[in-house]
Each structure stands twice: as C-alpha cells, then as structure tokens.
Amino acid sequence: MKTAVLIRDRATSFFLNSVMMVATLLFLVPIYITIVNAFKTKVDILTSPMDLPFDRLTLNNLARNIDSEQFNLLIGYGTSLVLATVTTLLVLITASMFSYVLSRRRQQIGYQYIYLLLLLGMMLPVQAILLPIVKILSLVKLMSTVWGVLLVYIGWYMPFAVFTMAGYIGTISPQLDEAALIDGANEWQIFFKVILPLMGPVIASVAIYIIVWTWNDFVTPFIILGSGDFYTVTMGIYRAIGQYTQRWEDVFAILLFAIGPMIVMFLFMQRHFMSGLTAGALKG
Amino acid sequence: MPKSRINQSSLWRVLLVLPGLAIYLAMIIVPILMCLYLGFFDWNGIRENLSFVGLDNFWRAIIDREFQNSLKTTLFFTIPGTLLVNLLGLFLAILINRPGWLSKFYRSSFFFPVLISTVAIGFIWKALLSYNGMINVFLVGWNLEAIDFLGSVVLAPWAILFVNIWHDVGFIALLYLAGLQAIPKDLYDSAAIDGANSWQQFRAITFPWLAPALTSSVIIIFTAYMRMYDIPFVMTSGGPGGATQTLAIQTIRVAFNQNQFSYGASLAMYMLVLIGVISIVLTHYLRKREDQLIN
Amino acid sequence: MIGKKLIKLVLAIVVLGLALPMGVTAADKQVVWQVWVTPNLNRAFYEDVVKAFQAKNPGITVKIVEANAGNDSTADNYLKLHLAAGDAPDVWQNFDIPGFADAGMLWEIPANDPDLKKVVDLQAASYKGKLYAFNNSIQPQGCIYYNKTLWKKAGLTTLPKSWAEFEAACAKIKAAGLVPLITGGEWVAGWDVNMFVSVNLGKNNPNWWTDKYAGKTSFAKTADVTESLDFFTRLVDKGYFNKGAVSTGYADLEQQFLAGKAVMYPMGSWFTAAEAKATKDFDVGVFTFPTKDGKTNMVRTAVYGSSPAVYSKSKVTAEAFKLVKFFVMDPVYGAKFLEADGLYSNLNPPLTYTMSPLQKELGDVVQKAQFRSANLQHMLGSAGAPGIFDKFSSIGQLILASGSASGKKSVDYAMELDDFVASIK
C-alpha cells in the first residue's frame, strides 16, 4: 500500500513537474526569441528562429537602431528615467502625508468623502480624462512638457499610494501618536519624526510599483508629450516599430533595447520585486 | 483643549493633506467633471462654441451598434479573463508552493512578463502570431497551413485574451502564493490526521483562507481588463473590423479620430459608471465572503 | 552609506529632470511648420527645404514640428491637441480642411496673390466660397500597379477595364499559381473600399454627397456602393487576395510587392516614388481601378487644396504663407516635393522632375482616362462626413477577413454607413 502511494505520488510529481516545465517554456520562450534574434542576421532569423548560431552573431542590428529617426535610445531612456524617479519621489512625499491624516482621521465624515473621491480615481480609465487634462495643462503652459506628464501621474497614482500607505499606517499603534502629542509635537512633526521612519516597507513597496508602472506606461506620455522633442521608451518603440512586422532584424533589436533594462533590474533584484509587489497588494 | 491648540492642529492636518489632495483634484476630479459636462454638448474638439444637446450623446451610445460591440468585446476579455487568470494563478501558486531552487526558478519565470511594458509585449507577440510571424514560419516549415491568428475575426479576440493572461498570471500567482504561505501549517496536519485527502484539505482549509487574496486578485484584474487598451491597440488596432475593439479603444478613437469629443465623453462616462458599479458590488460581495470565511 | 548615496543620486536626477528645457526661445519672425512625415517625405527632406527657405528669406526662421504617418492617417489629431494646448503651429499640412475651416481655424489666402496665377483652376479648391489652400499638385489615387514580368508569365496581354475583364485576369493569374492581388489591413483595407466604390460612383454621380445631405440618396440606395462592395467581396471569396492580408501593415505590403510576391498592387501614386528608388528585377506598370461598365476613371484626391494651409490665429500669417508658396512652388524644392511623393504638378508652367518610366506611364494613364473624379472619402460635390474613413476601414477589414462568410451583405454595410452619417448629423 505504501509503495502504491509512493508510486502514485512520484507519478503525480512527475506529471506536475512536466506541466511546470511546459508552462515555464511558454513564459520564457518569447523573451528568448526576442533576445536571441536581436543578434542574428535577417537570413538566420528567417531560416532558424530558435537557433543561437554562435559563429554568426552580429551586433549590427543593435548598432543600427541606437539612433534611428524615430527612436534615439538616449532620449528614450533619459525621459523614462526622469519620469519614473521624479514621479515616485513626488508621489511618495505627497501621498504619505495625505495617507497619514486619512488613516488617523478615518472616522470623520469629511475624510470619508475624500476616501470615496479617491476610490473614484481608481476605477477611471485614463482615456476618459485625457482631453480635459490637455486643456488644463495648456492653461498653465505645461502641455508637451515632462512636468505636465509628472502632474498627471501624481494625480493618477495618488489613490493607489494613499490606500496602500493608509492601510499600513493603520497597523502602527496610535499610542505612538498620543505619546508624541503629549510631548508637545504637532501633527506635522508627529508624521515626519514618528510615523514616517516606520513606513520603510510600504514605501519600498509603493516605490517599486510606481517605478515599474511609470516606466512601462504608454498612453499618457503618448498623448501629452506627443510629437514633442522628448519621448519615453514605450513611445519610442511604438513609433519605431509601428507598422513594420517583418523587419525582424530591426524589430527585435528595438524590443531588446526596450525590455533590456527591466531584464537587468529583474535579474539583480528579483526578490525585492516579488516580495515588494505582493506585500503591497495584499495589504491594500 | 485650548482653542488655539485645536486650530493649530487643524492647520497642520490641512498642510499635510493639501499637496496630494490639490493635485489629485486638479488632475483627476476636475477632468472627470469637465468630461461629464462636455458629454451634454456637441463639441468636436475644435470648435470654440458648443451647443447644449442634453442627453443626446448618452442616448446615442445606447443605440450605437459599435458601442454595443465594444461592450461585448470588453466583457469577453474581462469575464473569461478574470476567471482564467485567477484559476491559472491559483493553480500555479499551488504548484510552486514548495521549497527548493526549482520552485524559485519557476516563480521567477512566471513573474517575468509582468515587468515588461504591455507595448513591448504586444509587439513581441505580434511578431510571433502575425500571419508572417515566427509561429507561422514554423508551421509552414513543417508543411502545415499558416494560421492568421490576428487577422481572423474569430481568432483575434482569443489571441488578445491569451496575451493579456500571459502577461498578468504571474503577478496573480504570486499574490496567491503569499496567501498560501500565510496559512498555518498545523491546520493541514490536523486535517491529515483526520483522514482528509488533498482535495478535501483544499476545499476546507486552503480555499477559505485565500479569501483576502482572492478579493484583491479579482478586483485588480477586473478593473484592469475593463480598461484594456495597450495590447489590442498595438497588436490589431482593435481590428479586424472591430473584433478586438475595447471600450477604451473606441472612446479614444471617437474622441480623437472622429471629431466627436462630446460623444467620446459620454462613452467615457458609461465606462466609469459600469466599472464603478460592478466594482462596488463585487467588492462588497467578496469582502462579505471574506468575513464569513475567516470566521 | 548606500542610503545617502542613493538619495544624492535621486536628487541629481530630479534636478536634471527639472532643468529640462520647457519651452522654445522666441527668435525674430518664427514660423512653426507642422510637417507630415512619411517614409517618402522624411525629416531630412523637410530640413533641406527649411534651410533653403531661410537662406532666401533672412529674418524668418522656421521651426519644424512633426505629425507622423506612423501614428495617424492625417494630422488632425496632432492639430486638435495643439489647438487645445494653445500652441498650434502656423503652417498645417495634410489635414481635413472642412472641419477646421468651419471652426474658423484657417486663414483665407488672398486669391489675387500674383504667384497664385500659376495654379490651374485655382477656385476648384475653394470651400464654401473661400480659399484656404490651393491645388499645386494632382495626386492620382485609383491606381493598380502590376508586375510586368509576372503579368506575362500568367499569359495576359491586355489590361482589364471592366469588372468582368478584371475577374478573368485574376482567374488566369491564380491558375498560373501566382497571387493576383496584394493588400493590407487597417487603413489600407479602407483605401480599397474607397477606391472600389469611388471609381464607379465618382464618374456616375460627382455630386453624390450633396444629394446625400439633401436626403435624395443614401448608401443603401446607391447601386454603385452595394455592387462595388459585392465585387470586392467576390474577389475575396475567390481567393484573389494575399493570405493574411488583414494583418499585413502598409510598410510590409510595399516590400512584398517589390519582392515580387504578388502580381497586382492597388495603391496611390506615392508608391511610384518608392518604386523609383527600389531595387528589383521586374518592371512595374499601372492601370486604373476596374469599373462596372469598363469606362476608365482615374480617381484622384480632390480636396480643398493640396498645399499646406495657414492657421487663422497665427501671428505670422504673411511669413507663413511665404513658406507655403516656397515649399510647393519653388522650382527646385517644389519639384523635389513632387518627386518625393510621386505627384503631378498642377501649375502652369508645371514644375518638372526626372520622372521614372512608371511615373511617365501613370501621367499618361491620367491623361487618357475618360473621367477624373474625386473620391468618396473626401469630396463628391460636398465634403464627405468626417470620420467616415474609419468605417470604410472597418468594413474593408471584415470583407478581407471573411468575405461573404461573415454573413453580412453589402447592403448591411451600406446601412451601417448611413447610420453613421445620421448619428453625427
């Protein structure tokens, strides 16, 4: 009886492992194809898409596409980097302050209305507000500028950041607040000196989300930066690849440039990514 | 407390809240209101004077065949999508919930696509699935008929659904994994002693304990898929013939390409209400279920 | 400590980011020119024009902003966005004139300008009696190019004029194991619909839109519409189009034809510019889209002016108009523009450039055509309904994807078009 169970367990195990292998291939093969074919000549790509012919690899595709008419790598990376870091910084600052008050005062009617208002923003499709946003940005002369996109992002990520951080602050005992209050501190000081230092994990969590989302975002910078002088990586690949589905040697090279940074970041910071992202979602 | 103390307190609170709230109101709430306002007029995006048309735009959406079609398409992506992503995510989470480097490797490979921009994903899969794409190169090489995944009115929606699921399942799997790892082990031990098999253990222990993870996962995917834009836009531009046109794509197209910003605004309002109402109902129901199950 | 270093790095990036230039520094007279960038008309081309213009006009500088054909089919979206933003360019190119003209956004060009005497039939481009742009060029659109080598290989000796002749030719080509027609998805499918219908409708009722707006006719009631869609569907059903047409993009399409993958390629005259530069091992010929009765009609773009137009609220309208005239009438650069896009001059005396054999042949075809009509998208009597081209594309994609197997009949498509026009009033 024990052997039977053992064999059945082994069989199940083998079966499950095979399923996992196939699933893993499904997830990794498209990436593999992109990376590998970026280094092959067009002929090689067409004749044997899956192969990695070490003797015929070329850097030509990459070199040719570093600065094409539609997509200059430096501008793309630069713009995306600035957007991602500055957005994250500003969101963290404004949202943390906001969420502190919201969390501590959640019984008050006024703040409950604000809570509902934030909820509204989480369900909105960004397309719905794009043209009014353009009008608003143009009134303050920020259309087609990086600052304009930043403002939109800060507003856009506010609900997510506030909810996540407010949830976390809820687990910090209010007695700390009271103790500081008795010592004569005002709310501003309580937040910056007592609460904020304790918010490390959730800040890291939110930061990771916002960096990844901003780096990968397409529609908002596409509409606001438009055909201006600056463009993000996502805009760049859309313009560069556009309608070409068959210029493989260029398409894959451009895609490799686009996903390269994420691959590198992922390889080095796997654990942080995965724990940060899931911790945040569950608490929220 | 002395009055001055209370006033000072309120002042600090306002200071803390103001920056975030102000930007949020200016960039999100005000535009929504503007959008709603414009839905009652007939603005075409260029003219400077508008005329009030009342509920015309909203009524027109209801009888508009293209809107009905976009709604159908969006629901096709959302409902099966949410179900499949959650089922597959849970399945994968269970499979990799064991120690060892192999599980870690699996975990990383599922999660990888989540980090890549949907635009890049769209182009990668377009390169694979298009009529002259990599997959068809293989099929033809093996003397099979090439399949037009993206050019067929029947296959294209499934292709788009597949790519979206491929992108998101890793994230959901990790959410469920975190939920699984939070379940106390001794519950399983006592169940095993009582003679329960794996399936019964799953039903009695695992599934109820995953309620919070389920709530989060379902809401996240639901709201995301109702707003789906990038992948169908990049892969098929909503085609062929509108077979993969989601509400989000139609809204932008109507507002920008067809000179009918007011009609687009009314479509956007429908989206907002639809997503809002269903989200609220869904959250309420799932949270209630959570409470029941945890107790 | 890593923490402090990280903060310093982040602050540096923030400072750098905020220092990004946020505006344009004004020069003396600056004209902002929104150019239309396509594979034929690239950025470098426009920059050459600007250099030459600035050399001849000291005191005026030109700033180029790009609307890209990769993103849209016209510059309309770009212009709308920038109008909303308050920074609309001075010179506008490749956009839908009626909508913007109705909104008062366009500057009326002085019809008595001496340079404009050169334009043949100047008033033909007027919209509601006013002139916002002029026709410096003619763009034949209803062209079907064919691979002369493969044509012979299929055993064909004459060029088809009627539907019957065309179908017979396609059958022969298919029997020879070749692909008769190559086309694509997205806007190319809409293009096909537009041409198949316009080639008949344009010559039979050049005032169709006027009648339609007056309620005298409709898409569903017009035989030229339903029968042309039937014809298109028939061609699809018989398998005369390339497989996977719907998911082929415009750029790939051109490449495939030039690589000899199909015998016939319906496209506008700008293809001749690409053909002239391409290396291939066969000659290309051209004829007009087939009509039901065999009478030849060269469908051409007849819009309210092919030249760029000037923004009504521009602060430099005089300088902007100078740039417009230079761009399309200068003997050297005006001709380069024609050459880059395969256009034919509508000036008297005409601007000439060295034409390729194909371009000469096309010029001939245009001259010899029994009719030269406008097309359904833009203007048949009155301006076409805005946004209708998207509907053509949707219909074209459905027809290409499933033919008659979609279950929809041509009259169904026609009714959808009528519904669309009714809904936008």
Side-chain angles (χ1 to χ4, degrees):
Chain A
M1 157 85 169
K2 240 187 165 184
T3 345
V5 170
L6 205 62
I7 292 178
R8 197 192 55 204
D9 275 347
R10 281 266 188 87
T12 334
S13 198
F14 177 71
F15 172 68
L16 289 178
N17 258 311
S18 323
V19 169
M20 296 306 288
M21 279 289 167
V22 171
T24 308
L25 279 180
L26 187 63
F27 283 102
L28 293 182
V29 162
I31 313 291
Y32 168 78
I33 289 185
T34 307
I35 299 179
V36 158
N37 285 314
F39 295 101
K40 286 155 66 172
T41 60
K42 182 163 191 164
V43 172
D44 277 333
I45 298 177
L46 288 174
T47 48
S48 50
M50 294 286 288
D51 284 357
L52 189 59
F54 283 105
D55 51 330
R56 285 195 301 277
L57 291 181
T58 168
L59 288 175
N60 273 341
N61 302 333
L62 294 180
R64 207 174 36 239
N65 285 298
I66 288 187
D67 188 4
S68 59
E69 223 175 88
Q70 307 282 51
F71 181 35
N72 175 314
L73 220 56
L74 214 57
I75 296 183
Y77 278 175
T79 313
S80 287
L81 191 63
V82 167
L83 273 180
T85 45
V86 179
T87 302
T88 308
L89 206 66
L90 294 177
V91 170
L92 285 177
I93 296 175
T94 52
S96 56
M97 304 191 309
F98 196 175
S99 59
Y100 168 62
V101 176
L102 209 66
S103 172
R104 290 300 188 228
R105 296 271 147 188
R106 75 178 87 100
Q107 295 83 5
Q108 286 185 346
I109 296 269
Y111 289 106
Q112 288 184 350
Y113 278 133
I114 294 183
Y115 184 90
L116 286 175
L117 225 53
L118 287 172
L119 209 56
L120 187 66
M122 289 210 79
M123 303 185 294
L124 192 65
V126 74
Q127 287 85 349
I129 51 177
L130 273 172
L131 207 61
I133 279 186
V134 164
K135 264 226 156 308
I136 294 177
L137 286 181
S138 69
L139 278 177
V140 293
K141 300 223 185 320
L142 284 178
M143 188 52 193
S144 290
T145 62
V146 173
W147 256 117
V149 187
L150 281 172
L151 282 177
V152 177
Y153 275 151
I154 297 174
W156 183 251
Y157 291 128
M158 193 64 62
F160 161 74
V162 167
F163 284 147
T164 311
M165 293 203 236
Y168 186 84
I169 294 178
T171 64
I172 300 179
S173 166
Q175 291 183 342
L176 290 173
D177 293 40
E178 286 167 22
L181 205 62
I182 293 176
D183 283 349
N186 59 39
E187 253 133 346
W188 183 270
Q189 290 168 322
I190 298 179
F191 172 69
F192 280 103
K193 294 218 155 65
V194 176
I195 305 292
L196 191 57
L198 295 175
M199 285 174 67
V202 75
I203 285 188
S205 211
V206 171
I208 288 181
Y209 267 114
I210 296 185
I211 290 179
V212 173
W213 281 342
T214 314
W215 182 276
N216 289 337
D217 193 32
F218 174 61
V219 185
T220 306
F222 185 53
I223 298 280
I224 299 185
L225 288 179
S227 324
D229 294 328
F230 295 105
Y231 44 81
T232 60
V233 173
T234 47
M235 285 167 67
I237 58 178
Y238 179 73
R239 285 153 51 124
I241 300 184
Q243 306 217 355
Y244 292 102
T245 45
Q246 285 176 278
R247 274 186 359 195
W248 300 133
E249 66 280 17
D250 288 321
V251 169
F252 286 126
I254 295 173
L255 284 171
L256 183 58
F257 279 134
I259 68 179
M262 275 302 152
I263 296 181
V264 168
M265 266 186 82
F266 183 67
L267 289 175
F268 282 112
M269 295 176 51
Q270 270 179 61
R271 255 177 318 129
H272 292 123
F273 265 129
M274 297 197 284
S275 59
L277 280 162
T278 51
L282 280 183
K283 284 248 154 75
Chain B
M1 256 198 200
K3 207 154 183 233
S4 58
R5 195 79 192 272
I6 297 177
N7 284 346
Q8 248 193 3
S9 211
S10 308
L11 180 65
W12 289 119
R13 275 203 294 280
V14 166
L15 226 57
L16 285 172
V17 165
L18 203 59
L21 188 60
I23 296 184
Y24 179 68
L25 289 176
M27 304 311 296
I28 308 292
I29 299 299
V30 168
I32 299 180
L33 295 174
M34 280 174 73
C35 194
L36 181 61
Y37 176 74
L38 284 164
F40 291 107
F41 289 78
D42 66 347
W43 194 37
N44 67 357
I46 315 173
R47 278 208 298 269
E48 291 189 339
N49 44 333
L50 323 167
S51 33
F52 183 74
V53 294
L55 288 173
D56 271 6
N57 288 320
F58 296 94
W59 176 244
R60 176 181 158 199
I62 297 185
I63 55 178
D64 180 9
R65 211 126 38 106
E66 195 181 346
F67 179 65
Q68 293 165 5
N69 187 51
S70 305
L71 184 60
K72 205 169 52 134
T73 308
T74 308
L75 288 176
F76 169 76
F77 289 142
T78 307
I79 299 179
T82 309
L83 273 170
L84 285 171
V85 171
N86 276 278
L87 278 174
L88 290 172
L90 181 56
F91 182 61
L92 288 175
I94 295 177
L95 287 183
I96 60 177
N97 186 23
R98 39 189 84 190
W101 63 271
L102 199 57
S103 290
K104 289 221 167 64
F105 171 68
Y106 288 145
R107 197 183 316 181
S108 301
S109 17
F110 301 157
F111 190 69
F112 199 34
V114 175
L115 293 179
I116 302 182
S117 131
T118 39
V119 177
I121 300 269
F123 280 125
I124 292 180
W125 277 102
K126 192 174 181 182
L128 294 175
L129 292 175
S130 76
Y131 189 72
N132 298 296
M134 293 274 138
I135 294 188
N136 281 319
V137 165
F138 275 122
L139 291 179
V140 168
W142 293 329
N143 279 323
L144 298 167
E145 270 275 332
I147 305 178
D148 197 359
F149 294 101
L150 301 180
S152 145
V153 173
V154 171
L155 289 179
W158 287 104
I160 301 291
L161 182 62
F162 169 74
V163 175
N164 274 288
I165 294 178
W166 182 87
H167 178 253
D168 299 321
V169 73
F171 180 66
I172 299 298
L174 283 199
L175 283 188
Y176 280 124
L177 185 64
L180 283 175
Q181 290 176 340
I183 305 178
K185 295 280 180 300
D186 40 326
L187 286 178
Y188 289 109
D189 292 338
S190 26
I193 292 176
D194 286 349
N197 64 27
S198 320
W199 175 244
Q200 287 167 328
Q201 287 178 13
F202 178 76
R203 273 185 61 188
I205 305 173
T206 318
F207 199 57
W209 271 84
L210 282 179
L214 189 114
T215 307
S216 298
S217 302
V218 168
I219 297 294
I220 289 175
I221 297 294
F222 171 78
T223 47
Y225 282 9
M226 283 293 290
R227 305 183 277 181
M228 192 188 293
Y229 184 85
D230 288 7
I231 290 182
F233 181 67
V234 162
M235 289 181 79
T236 55
S237 297
T244 57
Q245 181 168 271
T246 60
L247 286 174
I249 293 182
Q250 189 193 2
T251 306
I252 287 239
R253 182 166 286 169
V254 159
F256 285 77
N257 292 32
Q258 292 178 2
N259 274 350
Q260 300 170 72
F261 183 70
S262 278
Y263 183 50
S266 67
L267 294 186
M269 285 298 117
Y270 273 116
M271 271 185 87
L272 180 57
V273 167
L274 209 63
I275 299 178
V277 166
I278 303 185
S279 295
I280 293 176
V281 167
L282 210 54
T283 314
H284 178 79
Y285 167 72
L286 287 172
R287 282 273 149 87
K288 217 165 61 155
R289 177 177 169 274
E290 243 183 89
D291 291 331
Q292 286 174 350
L293 287 173
I294 292 296
N295 305 334
Chain C
M1 291 200 314
I2 298 187
K4 281 229 169 101
K5 273 203 182 154
L6 193 62
I7 293 182
K8 282 209 186 125
L9 179 65
V10 170
L11 277 175
I13 295 180
V14 171
V15 170
L16 203 68
L18 300 183
L20 282 171
M22 291 198 293
V24 190
T25 47
D28 39 1
K29 291 270 185 174
Q30 193 195 60
V31 174
V32 179
W33 180 14
Q34 168 258 311
V35 301
W36 180 244
V37 174
T38 68
N40 284 353
L41 302 167
N42 56 19
R43 177 79 185 223
F45 167 78
Y46 289 109
E47 284 178 351
D48 277 345
V49 176
V50 166
K51 269 201 213 102
F53 175 74
Q54 286 179 167
K56 287 216 177 108
N57 292 275
I60 310 183
T61 55
V62 179
K63 174 170 183 236
I64 293 180
V65 291
E66 287 181 37
N68 198 300
N71 296 346
D72 271 314
S73 57
T74 63
D76 285 26
N77 282 348
Y78 178 90
L79 291 167
K80 270 186 259 181
L81 265 167
H82 286 269
L83 277 170
D87 66 350
D90 300 300
V91 176
W92 297 7
Q93 197 175 334
N94 203 71
F95 64 99
D96 210 42
I97 289 189
F100 289 95
D102 283 336
M105 297 287 156
L106 298 179
W107 182 71
E108 204 184 333
I109 62 183
N112 52 15
D113 184 308
D115 291 320
L116 293 182
K117 288 215 181 80
K118 292 194 208 133
V119 179
V120 173
D121 198 6
L122 179 61
Q123 288 302 329
S126 55
Y127 176 68
K128 294 194 176 160
K130 300 210 179 112
L131 211 55
Y132 300 106
F134 55 94
N135 283 317
N136 62 295
S137 63
I138 298 178
Q139 185 188 68
Q141 291 184 324
C143 317
I144 297 192
Y145 303 96
Y146 67 99
N147 180 324
K148 286 189 174 166
T149 315
L150 294 181
W151 192 257
K152 270 202 217 90
K153 190 165 172 211
L156 294 164
T157 46
T158 55
L159 298 177
K161 294 211 194 77
S162 68
W163 284 356
E165 289 168 8
F166 191 76
E167 284 189 67
C170 288
K172 248 187 154 170
I173 297 176
K174 190 145 192 243
L178 302 166
V179 177
L181 288 157
I182 190 168
T183 193
E186 297 183 25
W187 65 265
V188 184
W191 176 265
D192 292 332
V193 167
N194 192 15
M195 290 299 129
F196 275 118
V197 173
S198 299
V199 75
N200 290 296
L201 187 58
K203 67 174 169 60
N204 294 338
N205 186 356
N207 288 309
W208 190 87
W209 274 112
T210 316
D211 288 343
K212 161 85 177 150
Y213 290 139
K216 293 196 211 141
T217 184
S218 70
F219 285 99
K221 282 195 253 172
T222 308
D224 279 329
V225 171
T226 48
E227 289 175 10
S228 302
L229 288 177
D230 282 335
F231 177 60
F232 184 19
T233 311
R234 246 191 343 266
L235 295 175
V236 173
D237 285 340
K238 294 204 176 143
Y240 292 151
F241 281 100
N242 52 323
K243 290 228 176 82
V246 190
S247 42
T248 309
Y250 170 68
D252 290 328
L253 201 58
E254 196 177 84
Q255 292 303 309
Q256 285 189 22
F257 178 68
L258 290 170
K261 296 270 170 70
V263 182
M264 293 186 277
Y265 175 41
M267 192 38 71
S269 64
W270 53 83
F271 170 65
T272 62
E275 189 268 352
K277 289 188 229 145
T279 39
K280 51 186 171 32
D281 52 6
F282 56 90
D283 286 329
V284 177
V286 65
F287 56 90
T288 56
F289 261 74
T291 55
K292 184 177 177 193
D293 57 9
K295 298 214 178 79
T296 52
N297 175 12
M298 175 50 83
V299 177
R300 57 190 190 81
T301 186
V303 291
Y304 301 97
S306 54
S307 72
V310 176
Y311 179 37
S312 58
K313 306 217 172 91
S314 158
K315 300 202 175 63
V316 286
T317 51
E319 287 75 12
F321 192 50
K322 262 200 182 147
L323 176 60
V324 169
K325 284 191 288 183
F326 178 82
F327 175 49
V328 301
M329 295 172 92
D330 179 82
V332 173
Y333 288 95
K336 278 198 185 191
F337 178 33
L338 296 177
E339 184 174 6
D341 223 17
L343 298 165
Y344 296 83
S345 180
N346 191 40
L347 300 177
N348 189 8
L351 295 181
T352 54
Y353 55 93
T354 330
M355 291 198 187
S356 70
L358 177 59
Q359 286 166 336
K360 290 203 188 104
E361 192 176 323
L362 180 53
D364 233 24
V365 168
V366 174
Q367 289 291 65
K368 295 213 182 92
Q370 290 164 285
F371 294 88
R372 271 173 290 281
S373 81
N375 70 55
L376 186 58
Q377 175 196 358
H378 287 126
M379 162 163 55
L380 285 178
S382 305
I388 197 145
F389 188 76
D390 272 351
K391 293 292 177 190
F392 292 167
S393 297
S394 187
I395 293 175
Q397 288 164 22
L398 279 173
I399 294 182
L400 279 172
S402 0
S404 49
S406 70
K408 283 201 178 163
K409 298 213 191 14
S410 299
V411 69
D412 294 324
Y413 291 130
M415 291 201 298
E416 279 177 28
L417 290 171
D418 283 319
D419 286 343
F420 174 72
V421 178
S423 70
I424 61 173
K425 287 191 280 272

